[in-house]
């Protein structure tokens, strides 16, 4: 994963500082708008019904709605309170991403760059401020990748780190299924490296592989069976619905019902989009645009216009560096981007939105961070491109901040025009 790992100092302290600033910005006016908006219309009422023990929104896993319900029960039923869990998950998930990146890359500077790029890519910020399921999935998913990568770096701690990583993987699946492709890759990598190092003894051999001392059979438990058991336990509230509870002994039957419910949604939505529009940052989703809380306000979900496009050549470079230069860190993030995007490209889900690009976009920022770090190391004048990219990313975040944060807009109804660089963003 990079011989320079032992040379750099762990940037955990600075990552924590940056996350605190990010969380403070997320927290600012978190209760605005003071009404339900966009997909909160599904999950906030579902959380309220969950408190009553009623069956609702059965097509999705339970954990995210249970966390929103806990906040409503303990803190109160207000817009601020039902968004607090997503905000906390956004901060913790961003830190977990930085830890995963550090243990995969071993580069202090690249880790800080990656954290900064994700914090300013618009999507992570917007999803941290809305009561939806995506940020819970991303938070637990990044925590799982952190533990899996740390197990490889510190094999003497491998067993407990794999166990904790499996726990987080199960919780991530319990929030939303679309994290599954990212969670499958560590197990596949374990299998390939075990085969390479131990040959026909790959099942039981404890030597070799990414975590020496852990056999493939044991890894299969921590990376496969254990997460699935945790995932099924996240349905605990559904086992106790007042009417039509889920049968805890029939997970297959219940998942057939969930798939049926998801496939039953066929009504076209004006903001629907496809994966090829996501990578071009072509199709936006308007979460909010109306007079609310005494002002005209808006929230539009798009990606950072610079970094989301700059990430595409960075991905190609990461794929090349991973294959041709055997950069395992570059290959890991390139494959994470490919698999999480490919999930949606191959999915039969009839209605898709740009927010499904949250995970692929995050791994794209990881590829961009590695590429910028590579530029930063050049001895010639091109190294200025690294810091310039960060300045431009931050500048665009500041410029778009009013329209991604439900800020007070001026000039009445056409106040969104200055940010609509493409007609497809309208």
């Amino acid at each position: 994963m990079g011989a320079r790992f032992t040379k750099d100092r762990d940037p955990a302290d600075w990552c924590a500082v940056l996350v605190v600033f990010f969380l403070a910005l997320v927290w600012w006016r978190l209760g605005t708008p003071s009404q339900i908006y966009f997909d909160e219309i599904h999950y906030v009422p579902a959380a309220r019904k969950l408190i009553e023990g009623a069956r609702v929104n059965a097509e999705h896993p339970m954990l995210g709605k249970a966390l929103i319900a806990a906040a409503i029960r303990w803190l109160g039923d207000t817009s601020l309170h039902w968004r607090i869990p997503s905000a906390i998950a956004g901060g913790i998930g961003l830190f977990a991403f930085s830890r995963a990146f550090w243990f995969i890359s071993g580069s202090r500077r690249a880790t800080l760059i990656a954290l900064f790029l994700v914090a300013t890519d618009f999507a992570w910020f917007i999803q941290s401020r809305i009561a939806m399921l995506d940020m819970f999935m991303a938070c637990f998913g990044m925590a799982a990748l952190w533990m899996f990568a740390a197990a490889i770096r510190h094999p003497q701690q491998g067993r407990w780190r794999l166990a904790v990583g499996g726990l987080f993987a199960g919780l991530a699946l319990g929030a939303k299924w679309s994290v599954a492709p990212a969670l499958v890759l560590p197990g596949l990598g374990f299998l390939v490296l075990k085969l390479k190092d131990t040959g026909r003894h790959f099942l039981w051999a404890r030597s070799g592989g990414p975590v020496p001392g852990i056999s493939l059979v044991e890894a299969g438990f921590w990376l496969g069976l254990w997460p699935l058991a945790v995932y099924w336990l996240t349905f605990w509230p559904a086992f106790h619905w007042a009417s039509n509870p889920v049968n805890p002994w029939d997970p297959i039957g219940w998942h057939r019902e969930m798939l049926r419910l998801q496939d039953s949604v066929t009504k076209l939505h004006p903001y629907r989009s496809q994966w090829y529009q996501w990578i071009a940052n072509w199709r936006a989703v308007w979460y909010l645009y109306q007079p609310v809380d005494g002002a005209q306000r808006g929230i539009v979900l798009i990606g950072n216009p610079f970094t989301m496009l700059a990430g595409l050549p960075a991905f190609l470079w990461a794929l090349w560096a991973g294959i041709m230069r055997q950069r395992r860190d570059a290959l890991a993030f390139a494959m994470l981007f490919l698999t999480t995007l490919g999930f949606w490209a191959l999915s039969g889900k009839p209605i898709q939105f740009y927010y499904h690009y949250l995970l692929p976009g995050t791994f794209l920022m990881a590829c961009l961070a590695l590429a910028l770090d590579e530029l930063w190391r050049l001895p010639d004048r091109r190294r200025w491109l690294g810091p310039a990219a960060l300045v431009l990313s931050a500048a665009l975040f500041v410029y778009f901040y009013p329209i991604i944060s439900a800020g007070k807009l001026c000039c009445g109804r056409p106040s969104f025009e200055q940010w609509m660089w493409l007609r497809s963003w309208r």
Side-chain angles (χ1 to χ4, degrees), residues 72-87:
I72 292 174
R73 176 182 290 175
W74 297 339
L75 302 175
D77 192 356
T78 71
S79 59
L80 172 63
H81 297 145
W82 68 58
R83 293 174 194 146
I84 282 178
S86 287

Side-chain angles (χ1 to χ4, degrees), residues 61-380:
M62 297 295 300
L63 183 58
K65 292 170 286 189
L67 292 173
I68 298 171
I72 292 174
R73 176 182 290 175
W74 297 339
L75 302 175
D77 192 356
T78 71
S79 59
L80 172 63
H81 297 145
W82 68 58
R83 293 174 194 146
I84 282 178
S86 287
I88 294 174
I92 295 175
L94 185 60
F95 183 74
F97 165 77
S98 74
R99 299 308 293 156
F101 190 99
W102 162 250
F103 283 112
I104 291 173
S105 72
S107 170
R108 175 182 176 86
R109 179 167 54 204
T111 299
L112 293 170
I113 292 173
L115 188 155
F116 187 84
L117 290 175
V118 174
T120 57
D121 76 352
F122 295 11
W124 198 278
F125 174 79
I126 292 170
Q127 293 303 130
S128 296
R129 291 173 49 85
I130 186 170
M132 291 172 60
L133 308 181
D134 300 75
M135 196 45 65
F136 304 120
M137 167 201 69
C139 174
F140 291 121
M142 293 304 169
L145 294 178
W146 168 11
M147 289 294 108
F148 295 154
I152 297 173
R153 287 297 184 184
H154 302 292
Q156 69 278 10
Q157 303 172 356
R159 183 167 286 107
W160 75 261
R161 286 191 180 274
L162 289 178
V164 175
L167 171 66
F168 286 135
L171 295 177
L173 287 171
K176 202 168 185 179
W177 291 343
S178 48
V179 72
L183 300 178
V184 168
L185 282 183
L188 290 177
F190 205 104
L191 171 61
V192 169
L193 292 176
K194 271 291 184 183
L195 277 170
K196 177 183 176 183
D197 293 345
T198 62
R200 60 190 179 89
H201 303 290
F202 70 98
L203 280 177
W204 304 102
R206 293 187 175 274
S207 60
V211 186
I214 304 293
S215 70
L216 184 63
V217 172
E218 182 180 355
F221 174 78
W222 295 125
L223 300 176
L225 295 179
W226 168 233
L228 289 176
V230 172
Y231 162 72
W232 188 232
L233 284 174
T234 64
F235 284 85
W236 187 266
F239 301 157
H240 299 88
W241 279 335
S243 62
N244 298 319
V246 174
N247 182 357
W249 305 110
D250 186 23
I252 294 177
W254 177 243
H255 282 79
R256 285 176 178 167
E257 173 66 7
M258 292 177 70
L259 290 171
R260 185 192 67 79
L261 291 171
Q262 290 191 12
D263 291 341
S264 67
V265 181
T266 58
K267 183 180 179 180
L268 297 181
H269 193 284
Y271 293 129
R272 69 191 183 278
S273 56
Q274 301 294 325
W275 65 272
Y276 49 85
Q277 294 173 310
W278 307 341
I279 64 175
N281 204 17
W282 184 258
R283 191 76 176 103
V285 182
W286 277 95
Y287 280 11
L288 174 78
Y289 189 73
Q290 66 184 78
V292 60
D293 298 327
Q296 182 72 32
R297 302 180 187 275
I299 301 174
V300 61
L301 177 66
I302 54 174
N304 186 302
F306 168 65
T307 57
M308 283 299 176
L309 296 181
L312 298 178
F315 156 71
L316 295 176
W317 169 84
L319 195 61
W320 170 84
I323 296 172
M324 303 303 296
R325 294 170 51 184
Q326 298 185 338
R327 282 278 303 267
R328 290 189 179 180
D329 53 355
L331 184 61
F333 287 118
M335 292 306 297
L336 283 166
F337 172 73
L338 272 179
T339 53
T340 51
L341 180 63
F343 172 84
W344 291 107
L346 299 175
S347 171
K349 188 177 177 66
I351 309 297
Q352 300 179 17
F353 298 95
Y354 185 78
Y355 60 75
H356 293 137
Y357 196 52
L358 177 67
L359 284 182
T362 299
F363 297 128
L364 189 68
M365 293 303 95
C367 293
L368 181 57
L370 291 175
L372 292 178
D373 183 56
E374 190 79 359
L375 287 173
W376 218 305
R377 296 174 184 275
L378 293 176
D380 56 31

